[in-house]
Amino acid sequence: MTLDPPTILALTVALAAAAALYLLIEWRSVREPSLLCWSAGFATITVGSTLALLRINGYLVIGIWFANGLLVSAHFLFLLGVARFTQVRLSPLWALMLVVWLGMLMLPADLPWSKAMLAVQSLLVALPTLRASSLLRPHGKSLSVGAVQLRYVLLIHGAFYVAKAASAVVPGTLIDLAAFKGEIIQVSLVEGAMAIMLIALSMTGSERYRREQHIARLAARDPLTALYNRRALNLRAPRLLAQASAAQPGALLLIDIDHFKSVNDLHGHSAGDHLLIALSEMIRSVTPDGALAARLGGDEFAILLNATSAQGIVELGNQLRGQFQQLACQRFTTPQPVTLSIGALLFDQPPASLAALIEQGDATLYESKRGGRDRIQLVSGTGAGV
């Protein structure tokens, strides 16, 4: 099969249609807006490339002017998808691309205007493509392999269209948009087909990585409070526990709600859930950077600290107790006050394991409850109660 321009366009139609369909199927399963934008972009290329074949039969307005406008629109949809993917709001000024495209429709459908058409259309493709590539730059976090590939594919694709626009105005360059004549046009057709494959694969890889990361986050989080669950705490604790030393002691706080059952019994389980969520938000607000906070189950929570002190633990625990008691008292009327009991351990060397540390913490928490509840029991080198 000869790779003449009509054949390459036919391949482009098939590739773009397949990419649009695949991304649409992906969107139906995960409902990511970026996938829908990208699918619409490839669908637009499919229609535009199909219309481009009509120029051979003399339909120049549809086959050149309108087809090229659809190519520009497709790359704007790619930019819109990347903006959704990176959660960036685009400037309304991008709507000016439509004004420029409509202005192109005013150009005569004559051969001398082919260079002007190609130069303007190439720049209109290059600008959103290069902007989409810039949005994919890492912002303090590493990108997925698919997103990195997409960034560089878009960068190369946009740079190619900048070079194409520049070469189009070189004197003596043969450009015949109606008959697909000229090396620039033929190279562009080949580049376009290759870019479709690479862009589609990179887009799919980017979204797949994001979906896998989302699933991993869900597996590590308690579904009600969004704090780490026990499994995630077990996985992340060893690194923090290993940092404990005499100069920078670590600490474990086990937190339990006193008389929590009365809230569920008198006000319903939804009220109990709201109280757990409120406590989790308080824990997040007082937990310093580098610490770990988790819901161990039921109404029991844990905070794992590093580089702390007995005074710091007591201050943190009392701050939590005060905030929680005020909120619970305002929202729920119960026979006995709904408060917090906290058992805290201060350690100056890495413990044998997190499980062993939690076992000691449970005993300390029990001492806190046995001592009257609504208090923090701290065990350190002296084993003092506070």
Side-chain angles (χ1 to χ4, degrees):
M1 180 175 60
T2 304
L3 289 179
D4 53 10
T7 302
I8 296 175
L9 267 179
L11 288 174
T12 300
V13 169
L15 289 171
L21 181 60
Y22 181 73
L23 290 169
L24 181 61
I25 293 172
E26 287 283 299
W27 172 79
R28 286 176 62 87
S29 63
V30 298
R31 299 291 177 174
E32 283 287 347
S34 53
L35 286 171
L36 189 60
C37 292
W38 293 336
S39 176
F42 282 116
T44 304
I45 290 177
T46 302
V47 176
S49 299
T50 302
L51 294 179
L53 289 169
L54 297 177
R55 70 181 69 178
I56 300 175
N57 299 323
Y59 299 100
L60 299 184
V61 174
I62 295 178
I64 297 179
W65 269 236
F66 194 70
N68 287 348
L70 290 179
L71 182 63
V72 172
S73 301
H75 285 78
F76 174 76
L77 287 169
F78 290 160
L79 170 60
L80 185 60
V82 171
R84 294 293 183 87
F85 181 80
T86 56
Q87 299 180 341
V88 174
R89 184 180 296 274
L90 292 178
S91 169
L93 293 177
W94 284 102
L96 292 176
M97 290 179 59
L98 178 62
V99 177
V100 175
W101 175 42
L102 292 175
M104 290 168 61
L105 296 178
M106 306 301 295
L107 295 176
D110 297 329
L111 184 61
W113 288 97
S114 289
K115 285 192 173 184
M117 165 64 75
L118 189 63
V120 174
Q121 179 245 330
S122 297
L123 288 176
L124 289 178
V125 170
L127 288 175
T129 305
L130 293 174
R131 177 55 179 156
S133 176
S134 70
L135 291 180
L136 288 167
R137 290 180 303 176
H139 297 280
K141 299 179 180 178
S142 61
L143 292 170
S144 69
V145 173
V148 171
Q149 290 175 346
L150 180 59
R151 178 193 172 195
Y152 285 107
V153 169
L154 291 174
L155 179 62
I156 295 171
H157 187 56
F160 173 83
Y161 270 87
V162 171
K164 181 179 173 181
S167 62
V169 296
V170 174
T173 303
L174 173 62
I175 295 175
D176 186 346
L177 293 176
F180 296 109
K181 291 181 179 179
E183 292 183 359
I184 296 174
I185 299 174
Q186 293 177 0
V187 171
S188 179
L189 289 172
V190 175
E191 189 274 342
M194 294 176 60
I196 286 175
M197 291 188 293
L198 294 175
I199 291 173
L201 290 173
S202 301
M203 287 174 174
T204 305
S206 301
E207 284 293 355
R208 184 177 295 116
Y209 175 82
R210 169 171 284 183
R211 186 163 65 251
E212 291 171 352
Q213 290 294 99
H214 179 64
I215 293 172
R217 284 195 296 270
L218 289 178
R221 296 287 178 175
D222 171 63
L224 179 64
T225 64
L227 292 176
Y228 284 128
N229 54 31
R230 184 185 287 267
R231 177 178 176 273
L233 183 65
N234 287 333
L235 291 174
R236 289 164 173 78
R239 177 187 59 81
L240 193 147
L241 295 177
Q243 300 173 7
S245 65
Q248 295 184 322
L252 171 70
L253 281 74
L254 291 185
I255 304 161
D256 188 83
I257 302 177
D258 303 320
H259 309 299
F260 178 68
K261 185 176 182 298
S262 62
V263 175
N264 286 329
D265 292 343
L266 296 174
H267 300 277
H269 287 280
S270 61
D273 288 346
H274 286 304
L275 191 59
L276 292 173
I277 293 171
L279 176 56
S280 70
E281 292 173 352
M282 293 177 191
I283 290 174
R284 263 190 289 267
S285 69
V286 301
T287 301
D289 293 337
L292 295 173
R295 181 189 179 196
L296 300 182
D299 60 335
E300 187 174 4
F301 295 79
I303 300 177
L304 197 58
L305 304 169
N306 62 347
T308 187
S309 64
Q311 180 181 354
I313 295 170
V314 172
E315 290 177 354
L316 186 150
N318 286 334
Q319 183 180 358
L320 264 181
R321 288 195 307 108
Q323 291 180 4
F324 182 81
Q325 185 175 14
Q326 182 179 7
L327 180 141
C329 180
Q330 290 174 350
R331 292 190 181 181
F332 307 109
T333 302
T334 55
Q336 297 171 301
V338 179
T339 55
L340 293 183
S341 291
I342 302 175
L345 295 174
L346 185 68
F347 51 93
D348 58 6
Q349 59 182 359
S353 66
L354 177 63
L357 191 65
I358 290 178
E359 185 176 350
Q360 297 176 49
D362 280 332
T364 307
L365 177 60
Y366 176 75
E367 288 296 323
S368 175
K369 285 185 171 293
R370 193 172 66 175
R373 294 186 173 88
D374 188 23
R375 61 194 298 271
I376 176 171
Q377 177 81 15
L378 172 63
V379 174
S380 59
T382 61
V386 181

